[in-house]
Amino acid sequence: MAFDAEVSVKDIVNFYIKINDASKAKKDIAKLSAKDKATAFEIIAASPGSHEFKIEVAKYFVYDLDARVRRKAEILLEDLLPGWVSDPAESILKLLKTMDTKGGTHRNAAIRFLFGIIDSSSLRDTFMTLLNSRNRTHMAEIIAILEAYIDSSQDEREQVKIFDACLDIVLSDDADYNIKHHASNLLSVFFKKVQSTNLGEALRQKYIEKQVEKAEGIYRYLCSGASGLNMTFLEDLLRPLNDGGKTFQLKMLGYFKFVLEKARNPEEADTVMDIYPDYWNNDELPKEEKLKRICRRIIAAAEELWGVSDETEVRALIIRIMYGEYTDKRELLEQIRAKLDTETLSEAAREKISLMLHCFFLPEENDALKLLAANILIFKLQDARNRAVALDYLTSYAENKNLNYAEKGSIATVMESLLNEKRLVDDLRNMARYLLFLTGPERLDTAEEQKAVLSHIRSMVEGRGLSSRLAAERVLESLEVFSKSAAATEKLKMAAQYLEFKIRKPDENPTWDQIGAPQG
């Protein structure tokens, strides 16, 4: 219903009072501003409208987002309904305490009656009313009583009803975050009680599956662009994160990484987040604070998941998210170096650092920092996995960059130092020899080392091939230098000439005439 400027709030309210249609009155009053809603209640209270009309409209606005409107509705209900209290928790708590003095049997009967533990839908309605309470003391006392009841209950059918009601609230689209939080706490009490039973295992699995299903639906909705991420959606995505399994975790972490990247640019944050304050809510946080809260919550959840998941891919993506939060990557690298130099770190801390160092090899990062990170992985962390990551990067760097003399010399020196280690594993030794051959072939001065590196290159050429056209050019350049070396035997020079031929013409087999006859 569109309201013309000439149509006043009084006209609208009096019209519905006259036709005694509370249902339509609620919907159209809801469209008004908070100020006009408050005015509407003053008109309704003073009007000759029916008792039922006033009660139905007032009950509808008892939980309005604006405190002034809520209070107007509460005052009206207090006038119309003797004994009615604005906070239902107050009357519930009073009755429970009265019953408690008559013994546990009477109290439990009262709980079953008050909470409607007859079917899950009536229990859900009672929970929703109770958890909407604004008196936190009342609410905490009642929840403590209910937790004790759940803990003492021996009736499995009753337990399932309580579980279904709480789960329904957690998955609900119309329950706010606080209500879902309390319902989740009740579920935690429930699971603690039944965790060692078949029932507990079955219901916990259902709990996880239903929450993942809910989160997947929200994820698809957000990815469609129909809405941006807000705290309500975020909590629904995070709730099953720790238990949702590797596939779900990777999907959510990938989405969170995307959101955090957008959040760094104020102009792009609005494209993925719903953070504009609602004009009618004077108590709402400003846009900037909403953005910070969402980002902090994502980071906290990712850190918590690190302590839960043992999956390598999941942990690597968590660190990618953490890495993205550092604006000064050079400073981060210095912090890492200092920790490794001055502190005795646990295995978990070393794993975090190693994965953080791997992030420096992302395409968009600075080449100088990549080289420094590789050096730390090779000589500070030293384990085979991290050295392999560093050597993979250095190999790609040497193959695909047109390095100057100093750059080649720097890498060659690092490789010589690595090759001097007696216990270096064979795979790493092959990689280091190949890198030394690319950057300083003349430094391979023993026949054994020369033969080993040529054999390694042959296995690549005759196997999967070299990684790129540029890699082939770099190998050819080094083979040419090697073929002119006085330190190389004629037999090894022939091997180098064979490799040159196969690189240039991979589909042909060379003859002796094509590569030159052996001497002697």
Side-chain angles (χ1 to χ4, degrees), residues 52-68:
E52 291 75 17
F53 176 92
K54 293 180 178 180
I55 290 173
E56 184 175 345
V57 174
K59 282 186 175 180
Y60 185 80
F61 288 98
V62 163
Y63 301 116
D64 190 85
L65 292 169
D66 188 88
R68 293 169 297 175

Side-chain angles (χ1 to χ4, degrees), residues 90-210:
E90 184 178 342
S91 56
I92 291 174
L93 183 59
K94 185 176 180 180
L95 182 56
L96 287 174
K97 285 184 173 180
T98 301
M99 289 297 110
D100 203 28
T101 62
K102 298 181 181 180
T105 304
H106 285 82
R107 183 201 59 205
N108 289 345
I111 290 173
R112 280 192 292 271
F113 173 75
L114 285 171
F115 287 96
I117 305 179
I118 300 165
D119 62 79
S120 58
S121 60
S122 63
L123 179 59
R124 177 192 185 279
D125 291 340
T126 307
F127 278 165
M128 289 290 283
T129 302
L130 167 66
L131 297 176
N132 261 307
S133 170
R134 287 177 295 284
N135 189 316
R136 295 191 179 278
T137 303
H138 291 164
M139 187 167 60
E141 287 188 63
I142 293 171
I143 288 179
I145 291 171
L146 187 57
E147 287 178 357
Y149 178 82
I150 293 172
D151 199 43
S152 64
S153 174
Q154 300 299 317
D155 187 334
E156 282 198 357
R157 293 178 61 191
E158 187 176 89
Q159 291 170 8
V160 172
K161 289 172 187 174
I162 295 172
F163 168 83
D164 285 341
C166 292
L167 180 59
D168 196 19
I169 292 172
V170 170
L171 300 178
S172 172
D173 288 325
D174 54 5
D176 68 23
Y177 168 72
N178 287 330
I179 295 175
K180 291 185 178 186
H181 173 73
H182 291 300
S184 294
N185 286 345
L186 288 174
L187 282 171
S188 297
V189 174
F190 175 82
F191 286 129
K192 184 177 180 181
K193 171 181 172 57
V194 298
Q195 62 184 347
S196 60
T197 67
N198 291 334
L199 172 66
E201 182 58 33
L203 292 183
R204 180 165 185 80
Q205 192 58 38
K206 177 182 177 182
Y207 174 66
I208 294 169
E209 289 172 0
K210 288 291 185 182

Side-chain angles (χ1 to χ4, degrees), residues 269-280:
D270 292 335
T271 64
V272 295
M273 292 188 193
D274 177 15
I275 51 178
Y276 271 104
D278 294 312
Y279 68 91
W280 37 258

